[in-house]
Amino acid sequence: MRKLTFAMNMSLDGYIAAPGDDLGWSVASDELFQWWSDRVDATGLALYGRKLWETMSSHWPTADKEPGATPAAIEYAGRWRDMPKVVFSSTTSTVDWNTRLVTGDAVTEITRLKADDGGPMDIAGATLAAAAMRAGLIDEYVIVTHPVLVGGGTPFFTALDNWVNLSLAETRTFPDGVLLTRYETRR
């Protein structure tokens, strides 16, 4: 059975995007960017909701061709294109870059994917992760907390019907006061 991890940048007040879907507060240091790149390289399958897919696919497929692209950005772009991905959307009609589109029930498909053999899966996007969270499908939460208060926007966590008990598995500090905390779901 595959492990499913929800990993995102988060503001100190609990948001993954500020109002207007602004992500400008989550600029990564070189060390944090490399950590994200290594994570992409180790991911067996990435699950995206439509909004985050649109954000990522509008930049990373060609980021390595941009004038002044850094070696780290070139590496990340290649890893992102090569990583197998599934996009869950009822409004998107086409996907590319080693990606498959699912238009049906996300929880049913994620449950099926978890039961398959293969490497670890990451889930990204607030709405998609919220559905998986409410269904009890997330095995690990990786929260990269930035020392900023954005005051509103898209929350990392959704409202739940039941508690989810977690065990702290890892902490790590990055430059600029960014803190990674990794929690495993206790079942």
Side-chain angles (χ1 to χ4, degrees), residues 8-9 27-39 142-147 170-182:
M8 298 278 300
N9 290 306
V27 176
S29 65
D30 291 344
E31 184 181 340
L32 179 57
F33 188 80
Q34 186 63 55
W35 181 86
W36 280 114
S37 183
D38 292 344
R39 182 165 188 83
V142 177
I143 306 164
V144 180
T145 306
H146 293 252
E170 177 185 5
T171 61
R172 180 173 171 184
T173 303
F174 288 94
D176 305 319
V178 174
L179 179 65
L180 176 143
T181 49
R182 183 171 60 88

Side-chain angles (χ1 to χ4, degrees), residues 18-99:
D21 293 327
D22 185 354
L23 300 174
W25 54 269
S26 63
V27 176
S29 65
D30 291 344
E31 184 181 340
L32 179 57
F33 188 80
Q34 186 63 55
W35 181 86
W36 280 114
S37 183
D38 292 344
R39 182 165 188 83
V40 165
D41 194 44
T43 298
L45 181 64
L47 311 179
Y48 282 97
R50 178 193 54 81
K51 284 176 70 174
L52 189 56
W53 166 254
E54 288 174 353
T55 298
M56 297 296 283
S57 67
S58 70
H59 178 72
W60 287 111
T62 59
D64 54 345
K65 308 288 189 259
E66 295 288 324
T70 65
I74 291 167
E75 176 184 65
Y76 185 91
R79 287 175 167 181
W80 186 87
R81 279 192 308 266
D82 292 346
M83 177 181 57
K85 297 171 280 299
V86 175
V87 173
F88 293 84
S89 175
S90 59
T91 58
T92 301
S93 58
T94 60
V95 294
D96 206 344
W97 309 289
N98 202 20
T99 305

Side-chain angles (χ1 to χ4, degrees), residues 139-143 166-170 181-185:
D139 302 300
E140 187 174 82
Y141 295 84
V142 177
I143 306 164
L166 306 171
S167 296
L168 181 63
E170 177 185 5
T181 49
R182 183 171 60 88
Y183 296 92
E184 295 173 344
T185 302

